[in-house]
């Protein structure tokens, strides 16, 4: 990875723009958790090779020249969120910022972000791109009925499995494996564990170190299969049979049977270790989003699976029992998404919006697909030559559920992670962990916003 | 203390003190008052508490001490107990005792051996946190780590350091990391003892332990107290264990500084985070007073 | 008999010294080998195949090189100069002038500083630096570190100043020396080893500090090495062992060199041992 002198100059430009935006008349800044040659490299390549030059040219042609500077942030998502919050709290920050959808409610309700229409006016309302983005996907970057940003795309979650390991262990139908209940998954895992005693066949994320992955890839994928969600009918569910079933499943896998690698849920770098386990065949079933396919196991990457197209398959996540899933479904999945927001404090709201709209034009999103195929937010941007994404999107998107658009969500999510950690570490029983969760969530959202399904059932 | 001639008049003294005082007021006293005030509010960085923070009285403090949750993993009480163990074993026992042993071992010996050992201890003390974190992650790794490599080489079973005995791991780590300070302080304290004191003991044939107990320790008592105060304060507030264990597994190594980070910087809940900061300061104050009063009492009985 | 005892004592001494040396050295052995190993993992082993290519790759990352050899040095060096100078002045004042409650003051400040340098006070510090207009400047980082480290530096420094016999200055006073003259000509030369200790201590603390620059800086061009090391992570966000260790080694050398230099030139030791 090399940094050109030009890049240093650009960075210097960012410094100037940050410190004295008033003098930098048409300088725009944009940032993401992305480093050339490092994390989210595709984003950097796309921005630097396509977006910035083409946008600058388009604006110059219009007679309103701009200079766009990309600030590459190399830290963790959590660290980026901290910097955003600090910057926005003093009315600073970059003009256009990469944002995870589930941060929006927290930032919007704190007054740190403003609706796009408030920032950039009617140009937003009149943007022709909205008609190509479904309401559900617009909602990823929305709060309280207002749009705060534009989503790049969305994702879906599933079980990835290793056909080669399945065959080795004698699992029937290794090429088209599809469990229909949690018990099916356990049976398969036990079969593999028996054949390969040193393996940990199943990975369902748990614990605080995995952060939001625990909530969405782990807990959600299970609790949806019990027909419940953490937030139902405007209230947070603090006690329920679904929570107990979910926690008991975690306990069975990580504490009772060791079908999953307990260590990985608890150590600091566990998520990457879980990827390494899958790459090495120690783990043969792993619940993840399509990101696992398009980025983590991509050929040439650190966790690339050899002969991926032959040995790696995917299956839908079953409900606890057929028909028991959310909305009576047999199979469940969950979706999130990331996108870009406008800084409400930008000195150039019109130009910043122009940039955001340009980044989400059909041409720009088409170009992004050449760097990294993804399920685009726009319905007119197909996934090129990628049967995996095309198929999973078609099958799973109709089944999907998104996280609640609620400002307490991020805090409750941390409590969910904590609750799973308490169980998989073996230091609490599912009942105790649920009680601790109930107390903590009640403290966060207030008792009037909670519901105890066990209590109302017995009454 | 006998009346001594004033070397610096008060006004000149204050003038000399002024630049440091400005820094201290700006970067320590002001933030301190911010923390003190915010600890009585529901202020947060995101969410409704960012838009309309208001005073909530003692709520933050009462929540920290809520009896139902106080001692649960990840809660304040449990974190306090962990911190207490961490300070007791890694600072008071680990660093101070090992520091004294090292200082005593090389007392009145100037040689390359002393230089080597002391330099190694100091290297452990001065290398940057993130580097130390890499080194210790590799050192303690279950599958490939150096320590388990040595254990298996000796025919002993491997230990799951970070998951099985995480407290022991961070205690060993912090002892290793911080012993140099106590060692340096005790070395120079020993160096300030007039040799005549020990020569008398040599004549009476006292052994090393007797000399240490009866002559050395009483003479360097004040240094011991100072050392204990400083390393207690520092260890109470160190964040480095986070780089090795992240506070886990399951909060078992979540010392108070990590808890504060989680509450103030992950949850952006400044009110509660500040309340923890205030309580920690009171605890530190209590420790300092206890040490100092021990010192006074000993002085009075002499 | 006496000879035997002497030999035994010596043997015990060397054995103890060897054990202590090993205890401190072993956790670092991996760090010493891995950067030279083309296929390093977490296991300790002699580099095989031996390579210097990792360093080449590190040096090719202009951002990280600049962070280490420019920004870290500016920040640690700036704070070092400020802290050493101000702490010496302040310690001299506390030692030599009739300021009331100065012991209480020293302790109180160390106590305060320990909470303020913790994570709880990062937000007020951010707001303060913001209101000074110093966000994303090296100066902001230097100021915050200086404020945070001064109390303990004054504490350490007082020990050195207190141990200067007062008679030196008393006779200078009789000869009509000014306060500044006494400080400069009498105190400074004697406490120089103390200043060196404080200087090294400050440098080391800023050099390794992650939080303050992370909170206060934004532009890659201002970041110090403690932040830049994260640029040697993979696309998935894991450290690339060969490169992070190579950078770690480079990142450690300056503090090591500074310590060795000061130790050789002035002796790295506390004076009479800090007294309370």
């Amino acid at each position: 990875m090399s940094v050109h002198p030009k890049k240093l100059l650009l960075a210097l430009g960012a410094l100037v723009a940050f410190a004295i935006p008033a003098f930098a008349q048409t300088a725009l800044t944009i940032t993401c958790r992305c480093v050339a040659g490092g994390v989210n490299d595709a984003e950097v390549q796309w921005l630097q090779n396509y977006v910035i030059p083409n946008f600058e040219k388009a604006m110059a042609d219009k007679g309103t020249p701009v200079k766009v500077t990309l600030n590459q942030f190399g830290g963790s998502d959590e660290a980026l969120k901290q910097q955003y919050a600090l910057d926005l709290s003093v009315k600073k920050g970059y003009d256009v910022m990469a944002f995870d959808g589930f941060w929006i409610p927290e930032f919007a309700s704190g007054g740190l972000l403003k609706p796009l229409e408030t920032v950039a006016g009617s140009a937003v309302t009149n943007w022709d791109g909205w008609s190509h983005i479904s309401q559900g996907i617009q909602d990823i970057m929305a709060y309280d009925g207002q749009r705060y940003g534009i989503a790049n795309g969305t994702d879906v979650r599933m079980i990835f499995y290793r056909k080669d390991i399945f065959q080795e262990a004698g699992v029937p139908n290794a090429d088209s494996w599809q469990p229909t209940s949690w018990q099916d998954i356990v049976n398969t895992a036990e079969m593999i564990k028996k054949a390969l005693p040193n393996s940990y066949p199943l990975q369902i994320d748990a614990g605080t170190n995995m952060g939001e992955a625990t909530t969405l890839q782990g807990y959600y994928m299970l609790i949806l299969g019990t027909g419940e969600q953490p937030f139902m009918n405007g209230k947070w569910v603090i006690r329920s049979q679904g929570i107990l079933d979910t926690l008991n499943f975690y306990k069975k896998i990580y504490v009772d049977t060791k079908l999953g690698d307990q260590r990985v849920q608890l150590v600091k770098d566990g998520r990457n270790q879980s990827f390494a386990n899958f790459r090495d065949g120690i783990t043969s079933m792993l619940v993840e989003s399509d990101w696992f396919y398009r980025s983590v196991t991509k050929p040439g990457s650190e966790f690339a699976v050899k002969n991926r197209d032959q040995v790696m398959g995917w299956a839908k996540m079953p409900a606890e029992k057929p028909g028991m899933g959310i909305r009576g479904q047999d199979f469940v999945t969950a979706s999130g998404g990331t996108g870009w927001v406008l800084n409400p404090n930008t000195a150039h709201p019109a130009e910043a919006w122009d940039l955001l709209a340009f980044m989400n034009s059909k041409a720009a999103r088409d170009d992004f697909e050449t760097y990294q195929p993804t399920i685009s937010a726009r319905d007119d941007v197909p996934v090129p030559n990628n049967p995996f994404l095309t198929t999973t999107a078609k099958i799973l998107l109709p089944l999907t559920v998104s996280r609640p658009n609620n400002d307490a969500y991020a805090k409750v999510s941390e409590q969910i992670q904590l609750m799973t950690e308490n169980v998989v570490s073996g230091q609490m029983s599912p009942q105790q962990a649920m009680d601790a969760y109930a107390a903590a969530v009640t403290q966060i959202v207030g008792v009037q916003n909670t519901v105890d399904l066990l209590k109302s059932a017995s009454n | 203390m006998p009346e001594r001639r004033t070397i610096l008049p008060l006004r000149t003294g204050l003038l000399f003190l002024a630049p440091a005082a400005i820094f201290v007021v700006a970067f320590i006293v002001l933030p301190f008052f911010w923390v003190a005030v915010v600890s009585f509010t529901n202020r947060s960085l995101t969410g409704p508490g960012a838009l309309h923070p208001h005073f909530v009285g003692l709520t933050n403090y009462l929540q920290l001490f809520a009896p139902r949750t106080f001692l649960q993993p990840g809660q304040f009480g449990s974190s306090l107990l962990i911190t207490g163990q961490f300070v007791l074993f890694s600072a008071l026992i680990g660093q101070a005792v090992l520091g004294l042993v090292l200082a005593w071992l090389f007392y009145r010996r100037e040689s390359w051996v002393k230089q080597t050992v002391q330099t190694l201890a100091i290297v452990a003390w001065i290398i940057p946190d993130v580097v130390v974190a890499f080194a210790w992650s590799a050192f303690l790794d279950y599958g490939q780590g150096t320590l388990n490599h040595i254990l298996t080489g000796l025919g002993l079973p491997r230990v799951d350091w970070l998951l099985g005995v995480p407290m022991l791991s961070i205690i060993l780590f912090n002892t290793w990391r911080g012993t140099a300070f106590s060692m340096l302080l005790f070395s120079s304290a020993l160096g300030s003892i007039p040799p005549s004191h020990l020569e008398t003991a040599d004549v009476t044939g006292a052994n090393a332990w007797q000399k240490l107990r009866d002559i050395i320790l009483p003479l360097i008592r004040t240094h011991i107290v100072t050392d204990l105060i400083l390393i207690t304060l520092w260890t109470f507030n160190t964040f480095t264990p986070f780089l090795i264990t992240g506070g886990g597994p399951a909060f078992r190594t979540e010392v108070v500084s990590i808890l504060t980070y989680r509450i103030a910087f992950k949850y952006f809940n400044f009110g509660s985070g500040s309340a923890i900061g205030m309580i920690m300061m009171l605890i530190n104050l209590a420790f300092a007073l206890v040490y100092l009063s021990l010192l006074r009492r000993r002085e009075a009985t002499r | 008999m006496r000879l035997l005892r002497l030999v035994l004592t010596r043997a015990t001494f060397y054995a103890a010294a060897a054990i202590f040396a090993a205890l401190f050295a072993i956790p670092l052995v991996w760090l010493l080998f891995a950067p030279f190993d083309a296929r390093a993992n977490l296991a300790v082993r002699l580099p095989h195949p031996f390579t210097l290519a990792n360093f080449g790759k590190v040096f090719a990352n202009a951002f990280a090189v600049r962070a280490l050899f420019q920004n870290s040095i500016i920040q640690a060096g700036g704070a070092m100069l400020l802290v050493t100078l101000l702490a010496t002045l302040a310690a001299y004042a506390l030692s030599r002038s009739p300021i009331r409650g100065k012991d209480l003051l020293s302790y109180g400040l160390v106590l305060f500083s320990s909470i303020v340098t913790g994570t709880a006070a990062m937000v007020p510090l951010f707001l303060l630096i913001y209101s000074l207009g110093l966000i994303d400047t090296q100066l902001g980082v230097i100021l915050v570190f200086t404020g945070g480290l001064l109390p303990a530096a004054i504490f350490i420094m007082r020990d050195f100043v207190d141990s200067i016999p007062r008679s030196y200055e008393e006779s200078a006073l009789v000869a009509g020396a000014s306060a500044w003259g006494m400080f400069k000509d009498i105190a400074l030369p004697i406490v120089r080893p103390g200043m060196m200790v404080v200087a090294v201590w400050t440098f080391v603390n800023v050099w390794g500090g992650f939080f303050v620059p992370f909170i206060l800086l934004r532009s890659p061009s201002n970041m110090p090495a403690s932040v830049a090391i994260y640029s040697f992570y993979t696309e998935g966000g894991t450290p690339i062992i060969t490169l992070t260790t190579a950078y770690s080694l480079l990142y450690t050398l300056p503090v090591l060199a500074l310590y060795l230099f000061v130790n050789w030139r002035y002796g790295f030791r506390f004076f009479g041992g800090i007294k309370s």
Side-chain angles (χ1 to χ4, degrees), chain C residues 112-130:
Chain C
F112 270 153
S113 72
S114 70
I115 107 152
V116 166
T117 45
T119 44
M122 276 304 151
V123 175
L125 288 172
F126 173 82
L127 296 175
L128 185 65
I129 289 298
Y130 167 72

Side-chain angles (χ1 to χ4, degrees), chain B residues 237-253:
Chain B
N237 292 288
T238 183
F239 188 68
T240 344
F242 181 82
L243 298 172
I244 296 168
T245 64
F251 308 106
R252 279 162 65 195
T253 58

Side-chain angles (χ1 to χ4, degrees), chain A residues 15 25 78 417:
Chain A
L15 162 63
Q25 284 182 354
E78 187 180 306
Q417 293 155 29

Side-chain angles (χ1 to χ4, degrees), chain B:
Chain B
M1 191 185 289
E3 195 51 49
R4 288 186 299 192
R5 192 164 169 189
T6 302
I7 292 171
L8 276 190
L10 184 61
R11 285 179 65 177
T12 323
L14 290 178
L15 202 65
F16 275 36
L17 203 54
I22 291 171
F23 271 91
V24 168
V25 168
F27 295 101
I28 290 178
V29 179
L30 281 184
F32 170 75
F33 280 112
W34 190 93
V35 171
V37 171
V38 165
S39 73
F40 297 103
T41 72
N42 68 343
R43 197 184 150 124
S44 63
L45 192 55
T46 61
L51 215 48
H52 308 291
H54 55 85
F55 280 92
V56 294
L58 287 171
T59 308
N60 292 324
Y61 293 89
L62 293 178
Q63 276 177 1
L64 290 178
F65 287 102
R68 264 172 58 94
T69 53
F70 187 63
L71 285 175
Q72 282 183 359
Q75 298 289 330
F76 184 57
S78 143
S79 182
L80 263 187
L81 288 181
I82 289 168
T83 313
Q85 288 173 39
F86 182 60
V87 170
L88 176 67
F89 290 108
S90 79
L92 305 187
I93 294 179
Q95 294 180 4
V97 172
L98 189 57
L100 186 63
V101 167
L102 283 172
W104 177 237
L105 182 67
F106 296 115
Y107 177 48
R108 291 197 289 181
R109 292 183 215 250
E110 284 299 335
S111 72
W112 64 270
V113 182
K114 172 183 179 171
Q115 282 296 326
T116 311
V117 177
Q118 293 206 341
T119 300
L120 285 171
I122 288 168
V123 166
W125 185 49
I126 62 174
I127 53 182
D129 279 348
V130 40
V131 175
V132 168
F134 280 136
W136 272 72
S137 301
F139 182 59
L140 296 178
D141 187 69
Y142 182 62
Q144 301 176 307
T146 317
L147 193 49
N148 277 343
H149 203 73
I150 294 173
L151 288 182
T152 45
L154 295 173
L156 296 168
R158 287 194 301 184
V159 176
D160 195 347
W161 294 99
L162 293 177
L163 279 194
V165 284
M167 261 322 274
L168 178 64
S169 296
I170 63 168
I171 286 168
L172 288 178
F173 163 74
N174 196 49
T175 303
W176 176 87
R177 175 78 162 149
T179 292
F181 178 80
S182 299
M183 177 192 77
L184 284 169
L185 199 146
F186 290 139
S187 291
S188 49
L190 293 178
S192 66
I193 297 174
S196 58
H197 280 64
L198 285 166
E199 280 155 15
T200 327
D202 286 338
V203 172
T204 59
N207 67 28
W209 165 244
Q210 284 165 334
K211 273 190 275 185
L212 184 69
R213 190 191 57 194
D214 298 336
I215 302 173
I216 311 276
L217 288 184
L219 279 174
I220 62 167
R221 203 179 60 244
T222 56
H223 304 93
I224 295 176
V225 169
T226 308
D227 181 66
L228 293 185
I229 291 180
L230 286 176
I231 62 177
T232 303
L233 282 181
W234 288 337
T235 307
F236 251 110
N237 292 288
T238 183
F239 188 68
T240 344
F242 181 82
L243 298 172
I244 296 168
T245 64
F251 308 106
R252 279 162 65 195
T253 58
E254 193 177 68
V255 291
V256 174
S257 61
I258 301 178
L259 176 74
T260 314
Y261 170 80
R262 185 159 62 87
I263 290 183
F265 261 82
K266 254 177 98 174
Y267 301 175
F268 297 132
N269 186 345
F270 296 155
S272 196
S274 299
I276 298 178
M278 294 302 291
I279 296 170
M280 289 322 288
M281 210 207 56
L282 292 178
I283 292 175
N284 286 339
L285 181 67
F287 266 99
L289 291 177
V290 168
Y291 290 145
L292 287 174
S293 76
L294 281 180
L295 184 68
R296 296 264 153 72
R297 197 174 313 147
R298 288 289 297 273
E299 262 168 2
T301 55
R302 265 161 65 90

